[in-house]
């Protein structure tokens, strides 16, 4: 404020504006600023004392000069200066540095149907927006391994499925199961078991191509999305990845085996992304009935449920 108020109501208003977390600007019927809260400095770059006595248009112009990217939204605010309607701009983005995100609410003060003033309230939502982004990011990451989690993987599968359909391309989904994790946990403790899962996750991630997606599906089960993969080469690709994982575990003092189930989508298949995930799960179930290290690849084309009933004895033609 430019001067200390003498009337109790003015003092109360000043005190209220100064304790609020929002930046508040109060204008009279001539749209001259009569009060400004202390947060105007931090949020808008306006000294509260210098605001008092200034016209609203001039204050908006000062903000625009400091943040040109706000020219459009602030021009809209200026245009509705005498409107009897409440106006809200959300979000109002400032590129910074640092980048900020605001909600600007402008409400008329109406007496006997006539606008006799205006109150602008600016709320900083940068912290809440950053927290929302962080929570969304965390919700897509497996906290133990740092890999993508199941939710993120399913989203990526849907995206890749649409791409493959559009460009008439193929892709594969592979489920990788670590044998004997329960034994590791019982013999060495949960901490060692978690360390092994982190090691295997990193080994799998380091063996992938740049555009492959690696995730932890759950417990001792990893999963890969392999775009643009040739169906004839997918088994060798997975064999190399499995060898890398086993070797990394051996170097750290663990002896493990893996079993892998793979499903390939090739056009013009009518399978959905969920169908491909289901086929990969069925192929993994079949691999678990085989010897340690088994890799079964489902190339699609027949009823996988009935075919895989006999996978322990002899794989059907489309299982390689």
């Amino acid at each position: 404020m430019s001067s200390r108020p003498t009337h109790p109501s003015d003092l109360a208003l000043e005190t209220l504006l100064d304790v609020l977390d929002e930046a508040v600007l109060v204008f009279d019927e001539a749209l001259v600023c009569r009060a400004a809260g202390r947060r105007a400095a931090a949020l808008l770059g306006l000294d509260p004392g210098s605001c008092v006595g200034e016209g609203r248009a001039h204050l908006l112009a000062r903000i625009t000069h400091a943040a040109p990217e706000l020219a459009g939204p602030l021009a809209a605010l200026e245009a509705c200066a005498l409107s009897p309607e409440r106006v809200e701009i959300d979000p109002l983005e400032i590129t910074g540095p640092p980048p900020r995100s605001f909600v600007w609410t402008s409400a008329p003060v109406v007496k006997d149907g006539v606008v006799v003033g205006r109150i602008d309230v600016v709320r900083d939502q940068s912290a809440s927006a950053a927290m929302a982004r962080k929570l969304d990011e965390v919700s897509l990451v497996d906290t133990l391994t740092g890999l993508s989690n199941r939710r993120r993987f399913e989203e990526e599968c849907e995206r890749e499925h649409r791409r493959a359909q559009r460009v008439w391309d193929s892709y594969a989904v592979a489920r990788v199961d670590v044998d004997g994790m329960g034994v590791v946990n019982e013999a060495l403790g949960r901490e060692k078991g978690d360390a092994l899962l982190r090691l295997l996750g990193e080994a799998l991630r380091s063996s992938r191509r740049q555009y492959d997606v690696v995730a932890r599906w759950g417990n001792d089960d990893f999963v890969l999305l392999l775009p643009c993969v040739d169906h004839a080469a997918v088994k060798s690709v997975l064999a190399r990845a499995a060898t890398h994982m086993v070797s990394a575990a051996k170097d750290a003092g663990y002896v493990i085996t893996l079993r892998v189930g793979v499903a390939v989508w090739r056009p013009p298949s009518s399978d959905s992304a969920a169908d491909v995930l289901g086929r990969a799960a069925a192929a993994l179930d079949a691999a678990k009935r085989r010897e340690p290290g088994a890799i079964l690849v489902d190339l699609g084309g027949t009823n996988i449920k009935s075919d895989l009933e006999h996978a322990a004895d002899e794989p059907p033609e489309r299982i390689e």
Side-chain angles (χ1 to χ4, degrees):
M1 302 291 182
S2 58
S3 60
R4 295 295 299 173
T6 56
H7 194 280
S9 61
D10 292 336
L11 179 60
L13 175 61
E14 181 185 79
T15 302
L16 174 63
L17 296 185
D18 283 347
V19 299
L20 291 174
D21 287 332
E22 295 85 359
V24 182
L25 301 172
V26 181
F27 300 93
D28 62 17
E29 65 276 9
L31 295 178
V32 174
C33 184
R34 293 305 179 190
R38 64 176 181 83
R39 291 284 286 167
L43 301 188
L44 302 175
L46 299 174
D47 174 57
S50 70
C51 292
V52 177
E54 291 277 0
R56 186 172 184 266
H58 182 64
L59 291 178
L60 294 179
R62 286 170 58 184
I63 298 170
T64 301
H65 179 74
E69 64 268 32
L70 300 184
L74 294 187
L77 283 172
E78 174 58 19
C80 67
L82 298 177
S83 169
E85 302 296 328
R86 179 178 180 271
V87 178
E88 182 171 284
I89 298 180
D90 178 14
L92 193 65
E93 305 284 356
I94 296 179
T95 56
R100 308 289 289 276
S101 179
F102 302 99
V103 176
W104 189 308
T105 304
S106 183
V109 179
V110 180
K111 181 179 181 181
D112 298 328
V114 178
V115 177
V116 296
R118 202 156 196 97
I119 300 176
D120 288 351
V121 179
V122 182
R123 183 173 73 256
D124 185 0
Q125 61 176 14
S126 302
S128 59
M131 179 61 71
R133 287 193 297 271
K134 185 64 176 177
L135 288 174
D136 190 56
E137 177 184 328
V138 169
S139 71
L140 299 175
V141 175
D142 175 61
T143 55
L144 177 64
T145 63
L147 299 174
S148 297
N149 64 11
R150 179 170 178 165
R151 173 189 163 194
R152 174 66 178 273
F153 188 84
E154 289 174 337
E155 291 176 356
E156 292 293 340
C157 277
E158 291 288 349
R159 186 177 295 111
E160 171 58 21
H161 190 78
R162 291 192 297 270
R163 184 204 67 82
Q165 286 180 314
R166 186 173 62 253
V167 301
W168 205 255
D169 200 359
S170 61
Y171 71 93
V173 171
R175 293 276 299 274
V176 181
D177 182 74
V178 184
D179 291 330
M181 278 301 304
V183 175
V184 173
N185 289 330
E186 291 176 8
L188 303 177
R190 175 68 64 176
E191 185 175 339
K192 288 289 188 180
D194 288 348
L196 174 58
L197 288 174
R198 285 191 291 268
L199 175 70
L200 293 174
E202 182 56 37
L204 188 55
R205 175 162 45 192
S206 66
S207 68
R208 69 178 176 87
R209 299 170 300 175
Q210 183 177 0
Y211 43 85
D212 294 340
V213 178
V214 178
R216 185 183 178 207
W217 191 255
N219 297 326
D220 53 0
D221 192 351
F222 296 92
V223 61
L224 295 91
L225 174 63
L226 306 168
C228 311
V229 68
D230 187 283
H231 67 276
V234 68
K235 188 170 184 178
S236 61
V237 170
L238 269 300
R240 285 195 299 271
T243 298
H244 187 64
M245 294 173 70
V246 171
S247 178
K250 183 178 180 180
D251 290 344
Y254 300 93
V255 177
I256 65 163
T257 57
L258 305 173
R259 300 173 203 256
V260 182
V262 190
V264 177
W265 186 90
R266 296 182 291 176
S269 171
S270 61
D271 281 356
S272 66
D275 291 333
V276 178
L277 285 168
R279 286 169 41 213
L284 178 60
D285 288 342
K288 288 179 180 179
R289 298 196 294 269
R290 292 295 193 87
E291 70 284 353
I295 300 176
L296 296 185
V297 181
D298 175 358
L299 297 177
T302 61
N303 187 329
I304 190 168
K305 291 183 179 179
S306 61
D307 284 347
L308 290 185
E309 289 299 323
H310 309 290
D313 300 318
E314 183 178 353
E317 289 185 3
R318 61 189 180 82
I319 299 290
E320 295 184 345

